[in-house]
């Protein structure tokens, strides 16, 4: 069964498995102790730290291991904000950061601080000049991911880091999605990552803090990991994480070329074989293994279940998933379609035949889901035109409001409007996205007795 969701968690790398088993035998003792077993464990911990620091591009004494990538993000942001509290309490971040960064920002605001979200372009990347405009005299910290976890777009980290350095603001980079492919360029100040994203075991994160960055760890003090990650180190997992990071880096150059070609094949074939689809994210500045597309008139949860039934494990940033009723904040910030969203992220070693089979299966699955939902299969006929129409989609979840809009748009003359009444939050994103895809005019949103009224003008 092809597993195409390595952006969530990569399969355990063989080197990680070997290192983990070996470290269970050799690294079980307390590395803080001076007896033989403790010294052996300390040697393993030091070697893992050196290997990880080399991959990150920092000094070993600048890097600590945490219990997860999320913990690393929370500790990094809290420590940097506290260390620079005399400067101010303002935080800058992009609108497409991982939820761990957004949660840290919300907690900071609840504690009396403030933050600014820098908008992104339709590709998902920030404009460095716009990011620089969000930096203020009281900005204590800036955050920018190296590459987006939902659409794969790489961020201009080096350019933003230079602007932050010029402004005297440290930059924290969430490198969870990209670190397995190579080091992060630029003059960043703090960096976080998560081992299970590159094929290491879950439960290991990295936090690097450059020398000279003011940093005050929050919470009760601990004696381990420079006081920045309290608790007993999970030494076998740390050893496996460092060993697998070195291994995937050795394979990264060749695999990046191969997987980029497979992803390019998906990007082209999806656009050719599946009608009414939008491939999102930057087509060039992107991770080599990840592609995301959104299909009109499709329920994302049903689409994922159907693909799973055909043997493909993929994920979604769609609003229509079982875990959330809210649209993906990433897709929302980009202004792209959120319904019927599919993220394909290929693990190293993915066979071309598996990708070809996915592309053979996908069009039929999408067509079946659309038919089940009663979506239009061709341009509707044009009966006697009416001045305007109102579509009542209240109480109905995505993609039904957009499907109903598509069914009736041809019934009004060019220049007339269709008003869609909807109380599903996803409609606020998906109706404007549909208008852009179908070259119709989105007039705007108006208040209604229930939900909102979304007005669309027919242009063609």
């Amino acid at each position: 069964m092809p597993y195409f969701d390595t952006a969530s968690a990569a399969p355990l790398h063989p080197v990680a498995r070997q290192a983990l088993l070996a470290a269970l035998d050799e690294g079980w003792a307390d590395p803080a102790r001076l007896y033989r077993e403790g010294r052996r464990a300390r040697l393993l911990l030091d070697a893992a730290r050196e290997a990880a620091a080399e991959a990150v591009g920092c000094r070993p004494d600048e890097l600590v291991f945490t219990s997860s990538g999320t913990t690393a993000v929370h500790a990094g942001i809290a420590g940097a904000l506290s260390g620079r509290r005399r400067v101010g309490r303002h935080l800058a971040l992009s609108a497409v950061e991982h939820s761990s960064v957004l949660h840290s920002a919300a907690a900071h605001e609840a504690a009396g601080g403030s933050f600014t979200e820098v908008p992104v372009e339709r590709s998902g990347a920030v404009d460095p000049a716009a990011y620089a405009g969000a930096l203020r005299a009281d900005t204590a910290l800036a955050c920018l991911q190296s590459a987006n976890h939902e659409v794969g777009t790489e961020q201009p980290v080096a350019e933003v880091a230079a602007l932050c350095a010029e402004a005297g603001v440290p930059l924290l980079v969430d490198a969870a999605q990209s670190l397995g492919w190579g080091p992060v360029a630029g003059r960043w100040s703090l960096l976080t990552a998560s081992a299970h994203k590159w094929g290491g075991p879950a439960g290991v994160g990295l936090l690097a803090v450059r020398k000279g960055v003011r940093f005050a760890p929050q919470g009760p003090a601990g004696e381990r990991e420079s006081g920045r990650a309290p608790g007993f180190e999970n030494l076998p997992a740390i050893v496996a994480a460092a060993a697998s990071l070195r291994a995937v880096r050795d394979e990264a150059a060749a695999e990046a070329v191969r997987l980029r070609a497979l992803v390019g094949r998906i990007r082209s074939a999806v656009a050719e074989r599946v009608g009414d689809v939008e491939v999102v994210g930057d087509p060039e500045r992107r991770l080599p293994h990840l592609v995301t597309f959104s299909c009109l008139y499709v329920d994302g949860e049903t689409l994922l279940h159907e693909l799973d039934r055909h043997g493909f494990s993929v994920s979604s940033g769609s609003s229509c998933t079982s875990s959330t009723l809210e649209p993906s904040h990433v897709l929302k910030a980009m202004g792209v379609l959120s319904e019927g969203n599919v993220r394909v992220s290929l693990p190293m070693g993915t066979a071309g035949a598996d990708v070809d089979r996915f592309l053979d299966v996908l069009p039929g699955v999408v067509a079946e889901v659309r038919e089940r939902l009663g979506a239009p299969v061709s341009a509707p006929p044009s009966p006697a035109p009416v001045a305007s129409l109102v579509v009542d989609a209240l109480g109905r979840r995505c993609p039904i409001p957009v499907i109903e809009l598509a069914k009736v748009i041809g019934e009004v003359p060019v220049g007339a409007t269709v008003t869609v009444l909807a109380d599903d939050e996803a409609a606020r994103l998906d109706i404007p996205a549909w208008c852009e895809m179908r070259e119709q005019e989105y007039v705007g949103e108006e208040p209604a007795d229930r939900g909102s009224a979304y007005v669309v003008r027919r242009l063609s």
Side-chain angles (χ1 to χ4, degrees), residues 249-271:
R249 281 288 189 84
D250 290 342
E251 305 163 1
E255 273 296 277
V257 173
R258 197 178 70 84
L259 293 182
R260 189 174 289 276
L262 291 179
V263 166
R265 189 186 307 174
I266 295 173
R267 293 180 67 93
S268 299
V270 165

Side-chain angles (χ1 to χ4, degrees), residues 20-240:
L20 181 64
L21 293 174
L24 286 171
D25 292 331
E26 298 294 328
W28 51 267
D30 186 346
R33 302 305 173 207
L34 298 179
Y35 42 71
R36 181 188 310 108
E37 294 85 355
R39 294 196 304 271
R40 186 183 302 131
R42 169 56 64 178
L43 288 174
L44 290 173
L45 180 58
D46 290 344
R49 197 183 313 278
E50 290 177 4
E54 181 182 3
V56 168
C58 66
R59 293 168 35 163
D61 60 352
E62 294 175 328
L63 184 143
V64 299
F65 295 103
T66 68
S67 59
S68 69
T70 294
T71 300
V73 167
H74 291 170
I77 292 177
L81 287 172
S82 179
R84 284 174 48 83
R85 60 188 177 277
R86 292 184 179 179
V87 173
R89 305 197 64 192
H90 177 251
L91 172 67
L93 62 150
S94 84
V96 294
E97 295 298 312
H98 187 267
S99 59
S100 60
V101 176
L102 301 184
H103 293 159
S104 285
H108 176 61
E109 184 179 50
S114 63
F115 68 91
T116 298
E117 283 191 5
V118 182
V120 296
E121 299 169 346
R122 193 171 177 84
S123 68
V126 299
D127 177 1
Y131 202 104
L135 303 178
R136 309 185 327 205
D138 63 338
T139 301
L141 178 67
C143 298
L144 181 64
Q145 60 190 189
S146 55
N148 187 259
H149 49 292
E150 287 192 27
V151 301
T153 297
E154 294 179 336
Q155 297 290 353
V157 172
E159 296 94 322
V160 171
L163 293 168
C164 287
E166 184 178 340
V169 177
L171 176 67
L172 182 148
V173 177
D174 171 16
Q177 288 296 335
S178 73
L179 192 61
W181 298 104
V184 177
R187 298 161 58 190
W188 52 265
S189 303
L190 303 95
L191 182 141
T192 63
S194 186
H196 72 278
K197 301 295 187 181
W198 66 69
V204 179
L206 306 180
L207 170 60
V209 182
R210 297 280 198 196
K211 294 294 183 183
V213 175
R214 292 186 178 276
F215 192 89
Q218 297 302 286
E223 293 79 21
R224 301 174 187 274
E225 296 300 299
S226 305
R228 294 174 180 172
F232 198 94
E233 297 95 343
N234 185 350
L235 186 53
I238 287 172
V239 170

Side-chain angles (χ1 to χ4, degrees), residues 15 85 87 99 112 117 129 147 155 180 193 203 251 293 297 304 315 343 366 372 393 424 448 457:
V15 169
R85 60 188 177 277
V87 173
S99 59
E117 283 191 5
Q155 297 290 353
E251 305 163 1
F293 53 90
Y297 319 132
L304 264 58
S315 64
R343 180 184 69 181
V366 173
R372 193 182 308 167
D424 179 15
R457 177 174 287 110

Side-chain angles (χ1 to χ4, degrees), residues 388-394 396 400-409 411 417-422 452-454:
S388 63
L389 281 177
V390 175
V391 174
D392 187 349
L394 291 168
R396 310 184 74 182
I400 300 302
V402 179
I403 289 176
E404 296 302 316
L405 168 62
K407 286 179 177 179
V408 303
I409 191 69
E411 297 178 16
T417 61
V418 174
T419 300
V420 181
L421 301 178
S452 297
Y454 301 94

